Amino acid sequence: MVYILNRSGIIEKPVKPTIRIGTPVYDQEGNKTGILLLNYFGENLIDELLLAGANISGEMMLLNDQGYWLISPDPKQAWGFMFNNDHAFSNQYSFEWNTISSSAQGQFYSENGLFTYTAMSPQSGKTKTVHKSDHKVAMGNWVITSRVSPQTLASARNDFINQNFWLYIIVFTLALFGSAFASRLWVKHKHAEAQTEYERGFRTILENVKLAAVSLDTDGNIIFCNNHLLHLSGWEKNDVLGKNWFTTFISEENRTTCKKIIATAITSSTGAIIDEGEIITRQDESRLIAWNATLSYDIDGNVSGITLLGTDITEQRKNEEQLRKLSQVVEQSPSVVMITNSHGNIEYINPKFTQLTGYTLEDIAGKNPSILKSGETSKNEYGNLWQTIMTGGEWRGEFHNRKKTGELYWETARISALRNTNGAITNFLAVKEDITERKLLQEEVETHNQKIQKNKELAAVGRMANMIAHDLRNPLSSIKMSMQILEKSATEFLGDQEHELISISRDQVKYMESILTDILSYSRPENLHLEWLSLDKLIELAILTTQKQLEEYGVSVSTHFQPGLPTINGDSIRLRQALSNLILNAAQAMENNKGKRLIQIEARLQLTDKGTSVLIEIIDNGYGIETEEIEQLFEPFYTTRAKGTGLGLAIIKRIIDQHHAEIKLEPVESGGTKASIIFPTVPITQI
């Protein structure tokens, strides 16, 4: 800048901007000899700068690195740093100057308008190249700045919109449609690529799965078939691709139904098909397949085909059918079937079990079969059972079990283990059969056989008794008569010793005669002469019959009869004989009793499972009987006394059995024996 001063030292105007360049001058020896100054008139530079910015909308400004105007829209504000005034851009636009001085170039909005700026070096005359590392205007640089006021911006925006509105609307619409069309083409292209990639991956998966897979177009033609289906059907890929699915794999009788199912799945656009159907192999064999379906779509979203995935369930259905038949067999079996888990808890019973025992599965599920125990099977037997089945063997045996009602029944059982594919025991199977009737029949047969055996024994005894009666009775009678004559005719010649010997001999003969009488009575059972009898009178008559023997044993008898006892149907002679023998047995049992010898006889009415009956009890206070001997006491020729044939109780049992009555002996806790006889109140012929 060149200043022109007047004589008073005041700068004359107008000021002329000048660029002064100085450089030192040296001689040949390198000594400084002076300074060369070059003044460049800056007006030309400023005019060129203003001319270059003439087309810029807004105010053109040139600022130095201190924020003073070198060029300003208001000439009075320019070169303020030369005149020591505060006319500086940095003062008027402090916020904007902070932004401009912080970087080499840029553009920003503020409340004062739109500012655009760039820094330049006056030494080079070129704008400064800006790098990321440049953060502010370098010292000595100038800043070219333009400002567009907010009013100018608003006016320019409105003019621009008014002049170009419809053009931009048309351009925007065309761009919108073009964009949409291009986007659709791009989406279709991407969709087609994705569809192709999906189908490629899907078919790769179908080739590797262990399922039958086939893809059909909408006409049912085969467009894909995996190796699993080919192996299953026996076809080669070239033999089936392009062929119709229905004519190649479906039998004629199933073809129409299959077409309808596939068509429905395609038209419904759901692909929801879960069905079982047969396919025909190349060898004309049928295989049952369980199918699932999924639809295929083209790039427009239309159904292009259907893919079927199937599992061969031929063997499974055969096994299920076999299991169904076996299940029906078990359910309808006349035998009892029970299945438990490995711990012995019940999991299944068939209807026959419920019919036999009364228990339903709800009653005993999860419980142990011991719920049926009657207590008659020993622990050793159960131990043997478990040892057998746990080692894989089959146990066979019989149980006497108890029903839900408490009734006992007999069953034969076969129990074995069930194993899984690994050989481990998972369950136990019990197959049982009700043998109660068979047991009863066996008991009847055994009883009948025993009767036959006894009859044979009786026949032998009868033959022997007849022989004894024929061979011994007459000699015994002769001996008895001879001793009576001898004792009567030679009384005066016999002493006391001889009389005692004769009395002993006569008693022995009498004892032998009683033995013969018992043998004959047991060996030759007589037919009954039935009539209706009053029990109290029958008992009193039996007591009178034995009165002499009772007095000899020193035994007293007490009786108690329930009032209104019904009459019984029987043979009076045979029953009196049985009752008399029981009374005499009771008297003989008290022979060694040093206390009071008493026989109690009671008769009363009682109700049993078999109906109304009359009970007679004969109780003594003798030496009693052993429990283990009770069953043997009624056997012929068995006796616990030194004297006797052992036929007394056997004869009594015979008479009681003939009257369809029951007799039993049992010890009395206080000492002695109780004989109980139960007589029916209905005619014997009706029993």
Side-chain angles (χ1 to χ4, degrees), residues 191 195 199 269-271 295-305:
H191 184 72
Q195 183 73 12
E199 290 178 358
S269 299
T270 62
L295 296 178
S296 301
Y297 299 88
D298 57 21
I299 59 174
D300 295 323
N302 300 318
V303 176
S304 60

Side-chain angles (χ1 to χ4, degrees), residues 562-679:
Q562 181 181 350
L565 286 175
T567 57
I568 62 172
N569 191 227
D571 187 316
S572 60
I573 297 175
R574 302 289 288 167
L575 288 177
R576 187 174 68 247
Q577 179 186 359
L579 292 172
S580 298
N581 286 348
L582 283 174
I583 293 171
L584 288 177
N585 281 346
Q588 292 170 0
M590 295 183 289
E591 185 176 4
N592 297 324
N593 192 346
K594 296 181 180 180
K596 183 179 179 181
R597 301 173 182 179
L598 175 65
I599 297 176
Q600 302 177 54
I601 302 176
E602 296 182 2
R604 61 179 181 273
L605 193 67
Q606 73 170 11
L607 296 175
T608 65
D609 295 339
K610 298 180 180 179
T612 306
S613 58
V614 177
L615 173 64
I616 299 175
E617 293 180 340
I618 302 174
I619 306 171
D620 65 63
N621 59 351
Y623 55 79
I625 57 175
E626 299 294 335
T627 303
E628 57 271 14
E629 294 179 344
I630 292 176
E631 294 297 328
Q632 295 176 290
L633 291 176
F634 291 108
E635 296 294 329
F637 306 111
Y638 180 85
T639 181
T640 58
R641 295 197 296 268
K643 295 177 64 176
T645 61
L647 291 174
L649 287 175
I651 293 172
I652 294 171
K653 183 72 165 57
R654 169 75 61 77
I655 295 171
I656 297 301
D657 288 344
Q658 283 181 310
H659 286 79
H660 295 281
E662 298 178 17
I663 182 171
K664 62 179 180 179
L665 300 176
E666 55 186 322
V668 179
E669 291 184 3
S670 58
T673 304
K674 178 171 69 174
S676 302
I677 307 173
I678 301 174
F679 286 102

Side-chain angles (χ1 to χ4, degrees), residues 57 109-110 113-115 148-159:
S57 176
Y109 287 97
S110 73
L114 174 65
F115 290 84
V148 181
S149 66
Q151 295 79 7
T152 304
L153 284 174
S155 175
R157 187 184 301 112
N158 292 335
D159 292 343

Side-chain angles (χ1 to χ4, degrees), residues 480-524:
K480 183 179 179 181
M481 186 180 298
S482 298
M483 286 191 297
Q484 289 175 348
I485 294 173
L486 178 61
E487 185 179 17
K488 187 176 181 179
S489 60
T491 300
E492 58 187 28
F493 302 106
L494 299 175
D496 293 337
Q497 187 175 1
E498 286 79 5
H499 280 290
E500 184 179 357
L501 291 173
I502 291 174
S503 177
I504 292 172
S505 298
R506 190 168 57 246
D507 289 340
Q508 292 298 318
V509 170
K510 185 178 180 181
Y511 173 66
M512 294 179 67
E513 285 180 337
S514 67
I515 292 176
L516 290 176
T517 300
D518 286 345
I519 292 174
L520 288 173
S521 177
Y522 185 77
S523 63
R524 293 185 300 181

Side-chain angles (χ1 to χ4, degrees), residues 246-260:
F246 306 107
T247 57
T248 306
F249 284 91
I250 308 301
S251 63
E252 188 173 353
E253 59 268 22
N254 296 328
R255 201 167 293 164
T256 302
T257 302
C258 185
K259 285 182 178 180
K260 288 181 179 179

